[in-house]
Amino acid sequence: MSTPDPLPVDGDPKIGKYAHPVRLVTTAWLDEWLSDDRLVVVESDEDVLLYEIGHIPGSVKVDWHLDLNDPVTRDYVNPTAFADLMSRKGISRDTTVVIYGDKSNWWAAYALWVFTLFGHPDVRLLDGGRAKWVAEGREMTTETAPYARTEYPVVAREDGAIRAFKDDVLGHLGKPLVDVRSPGEYSGELLHMPDYPQEGAVRGGHIPGARSVPWARAAADDGTFRSRRELAEIYEGEAGLSVEDEVVAYCRIGERSSHTWFVLTNLLGYPNVRNYDGSWTEWGNAVRVPIEQGAGP
Amino acid sequence: MTAGSLPSALSDLVDDFAAVGPQDRLQLLLDLSRELPPVPEPYASDRDRMEPVPECQSPIFLAVAVSDDRRVHLYFDAPPEAPTTRGFAGILHEGLDGQSVDEVLAVPDDFYLRLGLAEAVSVLRLRGMAAMLARLKRQVRDQSGDGGRGATGR
């Protein structure tokens, strides 16, 4: 059986300026290819019921809490569970997967990062996510399309390239770190994200040397990513990063920082960016790790 | 079993959830989110009369009124794009609105564990409902003068 041709890269001029245009599509592109059977659209939201009140026709739901996390260990699902999830959702290894979600694709970016841990070859984000699709009056449905179960292969999860653990971060001190939480969490005034007190830590502050760049600065008001020029101004002009840097990004549980990981890796083209998913809920609770408080790195 | 300590309307809801599998529990939660009544006046035009619940992942406001006959009346306001939070509010509204002060204060703080929603929406998300219950019970205590009763143990 021959492998089908991949779906084309979005030719949109804004997307064309990013380092890896193959990782992002516009709502117009998705509308055009929506019925193509080489494509599966995945919705991944913070609110677990949003998919049920309406979703992009033909899309399937992947929930971060319930589908991508191991139910016991604080880790992602293992290769067998991931293969089973993909098979149940009708996704093959050569499927083009487009992920979208609520809140400027915050959770969608997290899902994309987990797909990347398993090396899924063609996975893209919908620029602007759910909000932009809805705002443009594009079709939504509550129908769940029937799709045939696939046989997704069991592939190893490759954590090394894009995932950092606590010991990796200890060895990384002195190299660039990006803290994507709110300024209050960064300085140590807050032990948790505003409005999320249940995911706190016993110590406040940030990892020494980390620059503060709240994740949402990468998103415009309509939830789309800022242009490449604007992103370069934020991450390079202000935060002083450059493309040859090894960078570790973190937040509270690793979800906001996967949005920043996506920006640095796929939009600005940094080849060595890792997401520290243990993030502040690990670092701020760990014994005798160094912590810096206040507004400076 | 300590289920006897729940008001009958809430106890019935717990039974409804317990009777079905995880996917149908999600559907039940969705139905409750749709049935949550719109917030009436004076709350609708004066948000400052309502208390925000920051523990929920989406914005929600609640208000409590205790009538002269010591019945509890509950009002919730949450946007349609937050269906899970609306569903939690719907459970509390359906199960507790119109009940007596004593019955509301006697509801165990962890009653939501009996709904079997942990596997349908995850434990992390459920904590929002615990916070809503704690806040509405505190308002009931404040308004009914039952400051020493039904303490949350914190």
Side-chain angles (χ1 to χ4, degrees):
Chain A
M1 206 176 103
S2 65
T3 306
D5 291 336
L7 285 175
V9 172
D10 192 332
D12 178 82
K14 176 198 158 196
I15 286 182
K17 290 197 174 64
Y18 293 129
H20 302 302
V22 69
R23 294 292 175 216
L24 195 65
V25 301
T26 57
T27 48
W29 183 97
L30 185 58
D31 227 348
E32 182 184 347
W33 294 99
L34 199 51
S35 57
D36 195 292
D37 58 14
R38 292 168 289 175
L39 172 78
V40 172
V41 181
V42 169
E43 175 157 351
S44 203
D45 296 317
E46 175 168 273
D47 192 304
V48 68
L49 279 175
L50 263 184
Y51 175 88
E52 277 74 12
I53 66 171
H55 50 261
I56 295 177
S59 63
V60 297
K61 170 182 174 179
V62 171
D63 185 69
W64 173 68
H65 287 296
L66 303 168
D67 293 324
L68 297 178
N69 268 317
D70 184 276
V72 179
T73 307
R74 183 174 171 188
D75 198 3
Y76 301 99
V77 288
N78 63 35
T80 309
F82 186 76
D84 180 59
L85 174 69
M86 295 297 98
S87 301
R88 282 188 282 119
K89 300 296 177 182
I91 296 170
S92 302
R93 191 69 174 167
D94 57 8
T95 298
T96 295
V97 175
V98 172
I99 310 181
Y100 75 102
D102 59 354
K103 307 208 166 174
S104 303
N105 277 330
W106 165 356
W107 301 88
Y110 204 166
L112 183 141
W113 180 75
V114 175
F115 274 64
T116 308
L117 288 176
F118 288 99
H120 187 85
D122 189 359
V123 57
R124 316 181 189 189
L125 275 188
L126 174 65
D127 199 19
R130 179 181 170 101
K132 186 159 194 283
W133 183 274
V134 171
E136 291 170 348
R138 297 184 192 270
E139 190 181 353
M140 297 285 276
T141 182
T142 54
E143 302 279 316
T144 304
Y147 40 86
R149 187 184 165 94
T150 53
E151 286 301 326
Y152 197 91
V154 176
V155 287
R157 203 181 70 202
E158 298 289 346
D159 287 342
I162 63 168
R163 185 180 186 194
F165 296 96
K166 187 181 106 214
D167 287 346
D168 299 328
V169 178
L170 283 166
H172 183 87
L173 293 176
K175 294 182 199 166
L177 283 153
V178 182
D179 184 317
V180 315
R181 299 173 299 159
S182 62
E185 292 170 276
Y186 176 84
S187 69
E189 290 162 51
L190 296 174
L191 285 175
H192 55 77
M193 184 182 174
D195 301 349
Y196 290 69
Q198 74 275 22
E199 291 173 28
V202 295
R203 288 291 186 270
H206 54 268
I207 300 175
R211 301 279 173 169
S212 170
V213 186
W215 72 279
R217 293 199 57 200
D221 290 343
D222 64 356
T224 57
F225 289 104
R226 293 193 182 281
S227 70
R228 183 164 189 177
R229 181 198 300 255
E230 291 170 318
L231 294 174
E233 178 51 38
I234 293 167
Y235 292 97
E236 294 168 1
E238 294 178 32
L241 300 178
S242 62
V243 70
E244 63 271 15
D245 284 337
E246 289 173 43
V247 183
V248 170
Y250 71 94
C251 56
R252 165 190 55 129
I253 53 172
E255 83 305 2
R256 286 174 285 177
S257 47
S258 45
H259 190 273
T260 299
W261 166 85
F262 182 86
V263 168
L264 293 174
T265 299
N266 291 311
L267 305 186
L268 290 174
Y270 287 36
N272 292 309
V273 183
R274 285 179 294 170
N275 180 25
Y276 170 37
D277 59 279
S279 275
W280 200 255
T281 48
E282 179 178 45
W283 197 272
N285 288 314
V287 176
R288 290 213 329 196
V289 295
I291 289 176
E292 197 68 40
Q293 293 190 324
Chain B
M1 284 293 287
T2 53
S5 57
L6 296 183
S8 60
L10 191 56
S11 178
D12 289 350
L13 266 182
V14 168
D15 291 345
D16 289 347
F17 274 96
V20 298
Q23 193 53 42
D24 288 333
R25 282 177 205 151
L26 217 50
Q27 189 58 46
L28 216 46
L29 191 63
L30 187 60
D31 293 344
L32 285 157
S33 84
R34 291 190 170 123
E35 290 160 11
L36 182 68
V39 66
E41 294 298 341
Y43 306 106
S45 50
D46 188 3
R47 189 50 86 56
D48 288 345
R49 287 171 177 264
M50 305 188 80
E51 176 179 355
V53 185
E55 292 88 348
C56 287
Q57 292 192 331
S58 298
I60 181 162
F61 293 80
L62 70 85
V64 174
V66 176
S67 49
D68 292 342
D69 59 356
R70 289 177 61 82
R71 295 271 154 196
V72 173
H73 304 279
L74 300 172
Y75 308 101
F76 296 94
D77 191 14
E81 63 270 21
T84 302
T85 300
R86 285 183 64 86
F88 293 163
I91 290 171
L92 295 173
H93 188 270
E94 171 92 13
L96 296 178
D97 186 60
Q99 304 292 332
S100 73
V101 165
D102 291 339
E103 283 175 306
V104 171
L105 292 182
V107 173
D109 292 339
D110 61 356
F111 92 93
Y112 64 89
L113 295 174
R114 302 181 199 172
L115 296 165
L117 278 170
E119 52 190 309
V121 306
S122 88
V123 174
L124 208 59
R125 289 176 169 125
L126 271 177
R127 292 182 192 161
M129 179 141 64
M132 260 189 253
L133 178 63
R135 285 170 183 274
L136 79 83
K137 283 168 77 173
R138 202 205 59 239
Q139 284 208 32
V140 169
R141 275 193 295 276
D142 288 351
Q143 294 185 35
S144 65
D146 281 20
R149 299 178 58 178
T152 60
R154 286 288 296 255

